[in-house]
Amino acid sequence: MVKYKEVAEDIQKRIYANEFNGKLPTEQALIEMYDVSRNTIRSAINILVKRGSIHKVQGSGLYINRKTTDDKTIINLSVKIGLTRLLPKSTITSEVLDFHIFPADAAMAQEFNCDPETLIYRVKRLRMIDGKPLAIENSYYNKDIVKYLDKNIVKNSIYSYIENDLKMDIRFSDEYISMKRLSDEECHLLNLNQGSSCLMIKEINFLRNSAIFNVSETLYNSDHIALYAPVQRD
């Protein structure tokens, strides 16, 4: 992971741990704290601003955003680091429901902008938060890009594996939010009443070079989560 991202991750962890009293140290203090250049600190700060973790007040400093939604877990749609790193205060575990490789049909090839018959990993997981069902995740990975996955890897954070082990730069995504009526099996997995509906987020995820490495559809148990997206006015 490049240095400015490491700094951003560490500051984020400190924010979650309530180490700062509503406001970050000054830019100069952060430079000295992390022993890095001013550009590195500014790049790290820009990441945190984009995530909605902090906001800048000209001439005053860097303030921590306080997000409250009763007792629900907040999913920040602007952050592409995976649930495990996004929710460090919680224990995120995964039950692998399906894992196999198949050749892309015409529809899947169109989703990935790849050739038909390209090999695709399919990973279906039940994501748990502190022992409670949070989401059913159906993910697909282009094997030409993500060269290797196995059941042990997909039980943990796939995004951490892609970034840290495969050294890939996950850059941006297109996200589509809708409501979906659940099947009886999905209701059972999410511990919801039969006939329930839930939030579905479809993601198309890109690397820095604009290659699509992952397409996923995730069904969220809306009893436990609230979606959050920071919006800045131009």
Side-chain angles (χ1 to χ4, degrees), residues 16-209:
Y16 287 139
N18 296 316
E19 290 188 21
F20 306 113
N21 188 23
K23 184 179 178 181
L24 292 190
T26 65
E27 184 178 274
Q28 185 58 41
L30 290 170
I31 290 170
E32 295 171 4
M33 182 185 299
Y34 289 100
D35 191 23
V36 294
S37 69
R38 190 172 302 277
N39 283 341
T40 296
I41 288 297
R42 289 181 174 176
S43 295
I45 292 303
N46 285 337
I47 288 176
L48 297 172
V49 169
K50 288 178 181 178
R51 289 182 183 178
S53 297
I54 63 173
H55 65 277
K56 300 177 183 178
V57 177
Q58 190 69 31
S60 181
L62 302 164
Y63 290 84
I64 297 168
N65 292 335
R66 297 297 182 188
K67 302 180 282 292
T68 57
T69 55
D70 301 322
D71 295 324
K72 293 190 176 184
T73 298
I74 297 172
I75 304 293
N76 189 335
L77 296 179
S78 68
V79 181
K80 302 310 299 176
I81 58 176
L83 285 176
T84 302
R85 287 157 60 197
L86 181 62
L87 304 171
K89 291 184 178 180
S90 301
T91 300
I92 304 296
T93 56
S94 298
E95 177 185 345
V96 180
L97 304 175
D98 184 41
F99 175 75
H100 70 272
I101 301 172
F102 68 96
D105 60 14
M108 187 62 65
Q110 185 173 10
E111 289 270 33
F112 277 97
N113 193 26
C114 67
D115 294 330
E117 303 300 316
T118 298
L119 293 180
I120 304 292
Y121 286 108
R122 194 250 179 151
V123 183
K124 181 178 181 180
R125 303 188 293 179
L126 177 63
R127 310 303 305 276
M128 308 287 288
I129 182 168
D130 299 327
K132 298 180 291 187
L134 174 66
I136 301 169
E137 175 190 279
N138 281 290
S139 288
Y140 302 88
Y141 296 87
N142 184 334
K143 195 175 184 300
D144 283 351
I145 298 172
V146 180
K147 301 290 187 181
Y148 182 76
L149 289 174
D150 62 30
K151 279 194 174 181
N152 288 326
I153 291 170
V154 303
K155 284 180 181 177
N156 300 296
S157 172
I158 299 175
Y159 269 39
S160 291
Y161 165 75
I162 288 172
E163 287 191 309
N164 298 330
D165 292 78
L166 300 185
K167 307 299 183 186
M168 293 183 178
D169 190 356
I170 299 172
R171 212 60 180 159
F172 61 96
S173 71
D174 293 333
E175 302 200 357
Y176 304 88
I177 303 171
S178 60
M179 294 294 294
K180 180 181 183 295
R181 187 177 178 86
L182 300 175
S183 68
D184 289 349
E185 178 190 7
E186 291 165 341
C187 288
H188 175 72
L189 289 170
L190 291 175
N191 197 24
L192 295 172
N193 294 328
Q194 287 189 1
S196 294
S197 297
C198 77
L199 289 168
M200 183 175 77
I201 301 180
K202 178 177 180 178
E203 300 179 35
I204 303 172
N205 293 302
F206 300 80
L207 300 177
R208 177 188 282 274
N209 63 4

